[in-house]
Coordinates of all heavy atoms in Angstrom, one line a residue:
W2 N 104.5 128.2 86.2 CA 104.9 129.0 87.3 C 104.6 130.5 87.0 O 104.1 130.8 86.0 CB 106.5 128.9 87.5 CG 107.2 129.4 86.3 CD1 107.3 128.8 85.1 CD2 107.8 130.7 86.1 NE1 108.0 129.6 84.2 CE2 108.3 130.8 84.8 CE3 108.0 131.8 87.0 CZ2 109.0 131.9 84.3 CZ3 108.7 132.9 86.5 CH2 109.2 132.9 85.2
A3 N 104.8 131.3 88.0 CA 104.7 132.8 87.9 C 105.8 133.4 88.7 O 106.2 132.9 89.7 CB 103.3 133.3 88.4
S4 N 106.2 134.6 88.3 CA 107.3 135.3 89.0 C 107.0 135.7 90.5 O 107.9 135.8 91.3 CB 107.8 136.5 88.2 OG 106.8 137.5 88.2
W5 N 105.7 135.9 90.8 CA 105.3 136.4 92.1 C 105.1 135.2 93.1 O 104.9 135.4 94.3 CB 104.1 137.2 92.0 CG 103.0 136.6 91.2 CD1 102.7 136.9 89.9 CD2 102.1 135.6 91.6 NE1 101.7 136.1 89.5 CE2 101.3 135.3 90.5 CE3 101.9 134.9 92.8 CZ2 100.2 134.4 90.5 CZ3 100.8 134.0 92.8 CH2 100.0 133.7 91.7
C6 N 105.2 134.0 92.6 CA 104.9 132.8 93.4 C 106.1 132.4 94.2 O 107.2 132.0 93.7 CB 104.5 131.7 92.4 SG 104.5 130.0 93.0
E7 N 106.0 132.5 95.5 CA 107.1 132.1 96.4 C 107.5 130.7 96.3 O 108.7 130.4 96.2 CB 106.7 132.4 97.9 CG 106.6 133.9 98.2 CD 107.9 134.7 97.9 OE1 109.0 134.2 98.2 OE2 107.8 135.8 97.4
P8 N 106.6 129.7 96.2 CA 107.1 128.3 96.0 C 107.8 128.1 94.7 O 108.7 127.3 94.6 CB 105.8 127.5 96.1 CG 104.8 128.3 96.9 CD 105.2 129.8 96.6
C9 N 107.4 128.9 93.7 CA 108.1 128.8 92.4 C 109.5 129.3 92.5 O 110.5 128.7 91.9 CB 107.4 129.7 91.3 SG 105.7 129.2 91.0
K10 N 109.7 130.4 93.3 CA 111.1 130.9 93.6 C 111.9 129.8 94.3 O 113.1 129.7 94.0 CB 111.0 132.2 94.4 CG 110.4 133.3 93.7 CD 110.2 134.5 94.6 CE 109.5 135.7 93.9 NZ 109.3 136.8 94.8
A11 N 111.3 129.1 95.3 CA 112.0 128.1 96.0 C 112.4 126.9 95.2 O 113.5 126.3 95.4 CB 111.1 127.6 97.2
E12 N 111.6 126.6 94.2 CA 111.9 125.5 93.3 C 112.8 125.8 92.1 O 113.5 124.8 91.6 CB 110.5 125.0 92.8 CG 110.5 124.0 91.7 CD 109.1 123.6 91.3 OE1 108.6 124.3 90.4 OE2 108.6 122.6 91.8
A13 N 112.9 127.0 91.7 CA 113.7 127.4 90.5 C 115.1 126.9 90.5 O 115.6 126.4 89.5 CB 113.6 128.9 90.3
P14 N 115.9 127.0 91.6 CA 117.3 126.6 91.6 C 117.4 125.1 91.3 O 118.3 124.6 90.6 CB 117.8 126.9 93.0 CG 116.9 128.0 93.5 CD 115.5 127.7 92.9
A15 N 116.5 124.3 91.8 CA 116.5 122.8 91.6 C 116.3 122.6 90.1 O 117.0 121.7 89.5 CB 115.4 122.1 92.4
L16 N 115.3 123.3 89.5 CA 115.1 123.1 88.0 C 116.3 123.5 87.2 O 116.7 122.8 86.2 CB 113.9 123.9 87.6 CG 112.5 123.4 88.0 CD1 111.4 124.4 87.8 CD2 112.2 122.1 87.2
A17 N 117.0 124.6 87.6 CA 118.2 125.0 86.8 C 119.3 123.9 86.9 O 119.9 123.6 85.9 CB 118.6 126.3 87.4
R18 N 119.5 123.4 88.1 CA 120.5 122.3 88.3 C 120.1 121.1 87.5 O 121.0 120.5 86.9 CB 120.6 122.0 89.8 CG 121.4 123.0 90.6 CD 121.7 122.5 92.0 NE 120.5 122.3 92.8 CZ 119.9 123.2 93.6 NH1 120.3 124.5 93.6 NH2 118.8 123.0 94.3
L19 N 118.9 120.7 87.6 CA 118.5 119.4 86.9 C 118.5 119.6 85.4 O 118.9 118.6 84.7 CB 117.1 119.0 87.4 CG 117.0 118.6 88.8 CD1 115.6 118.6 89.4 CD2 117.6 117.2 88.9
Y20 N 118.2 120.8 84.9 CA 118.4 121.0 83.5 C 119.8 120.8 83.1 O 120.1 120.1 82.1 CB 117.9 122.4 83.1 CG 118.2 122.7 81.7 CD1 117.5 122.1 80.6 CD2 119.2 123.6 81.3 CE1 117.8 122.4 79.3 CE2 119.5 123.9 80.0 CZ 118.8 123.3 79.0 OH 119.1 123.5 77.7
E21 N 120.7 121.3 83.8 CA 122.2 121.2 83.5 C 122.6 119.7 83.5 O 123.4 119.2 82.7 CB 123.0 122.0 84.4 CG 122.9 123.5 84.1 CD 123.2 123.9 82.7 OE1 124.1 123.4 82.1 OE2 122.5 124.8 82.2
R22 N 122.0 119.0 84.4 CA 122.4 117.5 84.5 C 121.7 116.7 83.4 O 122.3 115.7 82.9 CB 121.9 117.0 85.9 CG 122.3 115.6 86.1 CD 122.1 115.1 87.5 NE 122.3 113.7 87.5 CZ 122.3 113.0 88.6 NH1 122.0 113.5 89.7 NH2 122.6 111.7 88.5
Y23 N 120.5 117.0 83.1 CA 119.7 116.1 82.2 C 119.4 116.6 80.8 O 118.8 116.0 80.0 CB 118.4 115.7 82.8 CG 118.5 114.8 84.0 CD1 118.4 115.3 85.3 CD2 118.7 113.5 83.8 CE1 118.5 114.5 86.4 CE2 118.8 112.6 84.9 CZ 118.7 113.1 86.2 OH 118.8 112.3 87.3
K24 N 120.0 117.8 80.4 CA 119.6 118.5 79.2 C 119.8 117.7 77.9 O 119.2 117.9 76.9 CB 120.2 119.8 79.1 CG 121.7 119.9 79.0 CD 122.2 121.3 79.0 CE 123.7 121.3 79.0 NZ 124.2 122.7 79.1
D25 N 120.8 116.7 78.0 CA 121.0 115.9 76.8 C 120.0 114.7 76.7 O 119.9 114.2 75.6 CB 122.4 115.3 76.9 CG 123.5 116.3 76.8 OD1 123.3 117.4 76.2 OD2 124.6 116.1 77.4
R26 N 119.3 114.4 77.7 CA 118.3 113.3 77.7 C 116.9 113.7 77.9 O 116.0 113.0 77.6 CB 118.7 112.3 78.8 CG 120.1 111.7 78.5 CD 120.4 110.6 79.5 NE 120.8 111.3 80.8 CZ 120.8 110.7 82.0 NH1 120.5 109.5 82.1 NH2 121.2 111.4 83.0
V27 N 116.6 114.9 78.5 CA 115.3 115.3 78.8 C 115.1 116.8 78.3 O 116.0 117.6 78.6 CB 115.0 115.2 80.3 CG1 113.6 115.7 80.7 CG2 115.2 113.8 80.8
E28 N 114.0 117.1 77.7 CA 113.7 118.5 77.4 C 113.0 119.2 78.6 O 112.2 118.5 79.3 CB 112.7 118.6 76.2 CG 113.3 118.0 74.9 CD 114.3 118.9 74.3 OE1 114.4 120.1 74.7 OE2 114.9 118.5 73.3
F29 N 113.3 120.4 78.8 CA 112.7 121.2 79.9 C 112.1 122.4 79.3 O 112.7 123.1 78.5 CB 113.8 121.7 80.9 CG 114.3 120.6 81.9 CD1 115.1 119.6 81.4 CD2 114.0 120.7 83.2 CE1 115.5 118.6 82.3 CE2 114.4 119.7 84.1 CZ 115.2 118.7 83.7
V30 N 110.9 122.8 79.7 CA 110.3 124.1 79.4 C 109.6 124.6 80.7 O 109.1 123.9 81.4 CB 109.3 124.0 78.2 CG1 110.0 123.7 76.9 CG2 108.1 123.1 78.5
A31 N 109.7 125.9 80.8 CA 109.0 126.6 81.9 C 107.9 127.4 81.3 O 108.2 128.2 80.4 CB 110.0 127.5 82.7
V32 N 106.7 127.2 81.7 CA 105.5 127.9 81.1 C 105.1 128.9 82.1 O 104.5 128.6 83.2 CB 104.4 126.9 80.8 CG1 103.2 127.7 80.2 CG2 104.8 125.9 79.8
N33 N 105.4 130.2 81.8 CA 105.0 131.3 82.7 C 103.5 131.6 82.4 O 103.2 131.8 81.2 CB 105.9 132.5 82.5 CG 105.3 133.7 83.3 OD1 104.6 134.5 82.7 ND2 105.7 133.8 84.5
I34 N 102.7 131.7 83.4 CA 101.3 132.0 83.2 C 101.3 133.6 83.1 O 100.9 134.3 84.1 CB 100.4 131.4 84.3 CG1 100.7 129.9 84.4 CG2 99.0 131.8 84.1 CD1 100.0 129.2 85.5
T35 N 101.7 134.1 82.0 CA 101.8 135.5 81.7 C 100.5 136.3 81.8 O 100.6 137.5 82.1 CB 102.5 135.7 80.3 OG1 103.5 134.7 80.2 CG2 103.1 137.1 80.2
A36 N 99.4 135.6 81.7 CA 98.1 136.3 81.9 C 98.0 136.9 83.3 O 97.3 137.8 83.5 CB 97.0 135.3 81.6
K37 N 98.7 136.3 84.2 CA 98.7 136.8 85.6 C 100.1 137.3 86.1 O 100.4 137.2 87.3 CB 98.2 135.6 86.5 CG 96.9 135.1 86.2 CD 95.8 136.0 86.6 CE 94.4 135.4 86.3 NZ 93.3 136.3 86.5
D38 N 100.9 137.7 85.1 CA 102.3 138.1 85.5 C 102.6 139.3 84.6 O 101.9 139.7 83.7 CB 103.2 136.9 85.2 CG 104.4 136.9 86.2 OD1 104.8 138.0 86.7 OD2 105.0 135.8 86.4
R39 N 103.8 139.8 84.8 CA 104.3 141.0 84.0 C 105.6 140.5 83.3 O 106.5 139.9 84.0 CB 104.6 142.2 84.9 CG 103.4 142.8 85.5 CD 103.6 144.1 86.3 NE 105.0 144.6 86.1 CZ 105.8 144.9 87.1 NH1 105.4 144.8 88.3 NH2 107.0 145.4 86.8
I40 N 105.8 140.8 82.1 CA 106.9 140.3 81.3 C 108.2 140.8 81.9 O 109.2 140.0 81.9 CB 106.8 140.7 79.8 CG1 107.8 139.9 79.0 CG2 107.0 142.2 79.6 CD1 107.4 138.4 78.8
E41 N 108.3 142.0 82.5 CA 109.5 142.5 83.1 C 109.9 141.6 84.3 O 111.0 141.3 84.6 CB 109.4 143.9 83.6 CG 109.0 144.9 82.5 CD 107.5 144.9 82.2 OE1 106.6 144.6 83.1 OE2 107.1 145.3 81.1
S42 N 108.8 141.2 85.1 CA 109.1 140.3 86.2 C 109.5 138.9 85.8 O 110.3 138.3 86.5 CB 107.8 140.2 87.1 OG 107.4 141.5 87.5
V43 N 109.0 138.5 84.7 CA 109.4 137.2 84.1 C 110.9 137.2 83.8 O 111.6 136.3 84.1 CB 108.5 136.8 82.9 CG1 109.0 135.5 82.2 CG2 107.1 136.6 83.3
R44 N 111.3 138.2 83.0 CA 112.7 138.3 82.7 C 113.6 138.4 83.9 O 114.7 137.8 83.9 CB 112.9 139.6 81.8 CG 112.3 139.5 80.4 CD 112.6 140.7 79.5 NE 111.8 140.7 78.4 CZ 112.0 140.0 77.3 NH1 112.9 139.1 77.3 NH2 111.2 140.1 76.3
A45 N 113.2 139.2 84.9 CA 114.0 139.3 86.1 C 114.1 138.0 86.8 O 115.2 137.6 87.3 CB 113.4 140.4 87.0
F46 N 113.0 137.2 86.9 CA 113.0 135.9 87.6 C 114.0 134.9 86.8 O 114.8 134.3 87.5 CB 111.6 135.3 87.5 CG 111.4 134.0 88.2 CD1 110.8 134.0 89.5 CD2 111.7 132.8 87.6 CE1 110.7 132.8 90.2 CE2 111.6 131.6 88.3 CZ 111.0 131.6 89.6
V47 N 113.9 134.9 85.5 CA 114.7 134.0 84.7 C 116.2 134.3 84.9 O 117.0 133.5 85.1 CB 114.3 134.1 83.2 CG1 115.3 133.4 82.3 CG2 112.9 133.5 83.1
S48 N 116.5 135.6 84.9 CA 117.9 136.1 85.1 C 118.4 135.7 86.5 O 119.5 135.2 86.7 CB 118.0 137.6 84.8 OG 119.3 138.0 85.1

């Protein structure tokens, strides 16, 4: 994902909910394509 990506923003709440539900059985990682993003924007998106 990237912080400027509108579909990424739409999907993020589902990922957060699913992580809480499955975190004991499934690992989750979000790979920010930081080469095309800004670290400040990444932190704000995550928060």
